């Protein structure tokens, strides 16, 4: 058991280290892969119930959505998720697009509101909103996206660097990954307890 956990940490370190090298290489060309992602129609996962679903599990470059009632699952790279639904988050969907430098575009938040209306038009309220900055915090926080969350739902988004969630942000790769996992765990706990929560989750750099 201990060996498995340590092996997992080592693998996450290697993947994250690879991300640093890739990011540095792309930085020299002033571009990162997700910053130029082409738009394709985004996959969706629909839960059997609005309350208590979805449950999310994140590993490097992968997010698995799970319906605890039916045990159905779906695998994504990055996701936006809300009460009863999950959708692939494609950074090229809107103009202006999402980039690591700008953070999530305001239209990503509006898209999430639209998905909520499609899933259950009778209730588009939220009690909590979680905003990912990526495994290493390279994705910038967007003040405009944060403001859109406040405008739409009257709540402050929980940004993963923020004090209420993880305390002082750590640049150490191992600790940073655990912080990302803590954010996903916080979302899952809120959903499990019947709270209406949403998340915008980036699974790599």
């Amino acid at each position: 058991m201990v060996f498995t956990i340590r092996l997992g940490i080592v693998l996450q370190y290697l993947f994250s280290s690879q991300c640093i090298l890739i990011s540095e290489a792309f930085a020299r060309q002033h571009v990162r892969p997700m910053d130029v992602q082409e738009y394709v129609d985004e996959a969706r996962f629909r839960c059997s119930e609005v309350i208590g679903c979805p449950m999310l599990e994140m590993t490097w470059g992968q997010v698995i959505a799970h319906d605890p009632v039916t045990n159905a699952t779906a695998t994504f790279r990055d996701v936006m998720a809300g009460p009863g639904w999950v959708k692939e988050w494609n950074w090229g969907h809107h103009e202006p697009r999402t980039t690591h430098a700008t953070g999530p575009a305001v239209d990503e938040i509006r898209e999430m509101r639209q998905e909520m209306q499609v899933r259950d038009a009778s209730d588009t309220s939220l009690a909590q909103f979680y905003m990912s900055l990526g495994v290493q915090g390279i994705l910038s926080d967007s003040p405009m996206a944060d403001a859109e969350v406040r405008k739409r739902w009257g709540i402050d988004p929980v940004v993963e660097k923020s004090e209420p969630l993880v305390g002082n942000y750590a640049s150490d790769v191992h600790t940073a990954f655990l912080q990302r996992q803590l954010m996903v765990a916080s979302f899952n706990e809120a959903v499990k307890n019947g709270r209406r929560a949403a998340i915008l989750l980036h699974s790599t750099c």
Side-chain angles (χ1 to χ4, degrees), residues 45-138:
F45 177 77
R46 183 182 176 92
C47 295
S48 58
E49 303 288 342
V50 172
I51 301 301
C53 184
M55 295 286 107
L56 301 180
E57 177 185 347
M58 187 191 76
T59 55
W60 181 264
Q62 178 177 277
V63 180
I64 299 175
H66 173 239
D67 185 332
V69 174
T70 65
N71 283 326
T73 63
T75 302
F76 304 88
R77 188 187 189 283
D78 291 352
V79 301
M80 53 177 63
W85 62 273
V86 183
K87 183 179 180 180
E88 183 76 35
W89 176 19
N90 184 294
W91 290 22
H93 191 159
H94 303 286
E95 186 61 42
R97 61 175 298 125
T98 294
T99 68
H100 283 88
T102 63
V106 170
D107 280 341
E108 305 289 3
I109 309 303
R110 294 170 182 162
E111 181 183 349
M112 294 180 73
R113 178 62 177 267
Q114 291 170 356
E115 290 296 323
M116 292 177 64
Q117 290 176 323
V118 170
R119 183 61 180 88
D120 182 8
S122 67
D123 189 355
T124 58
S125 64
L126 282 178
Q128 291 171 272
F129 193 108
Y130 296 89
M131 191 85 74
S132 168
L133 300 182
V135 174
Q136 294 174 304
I138 295 177

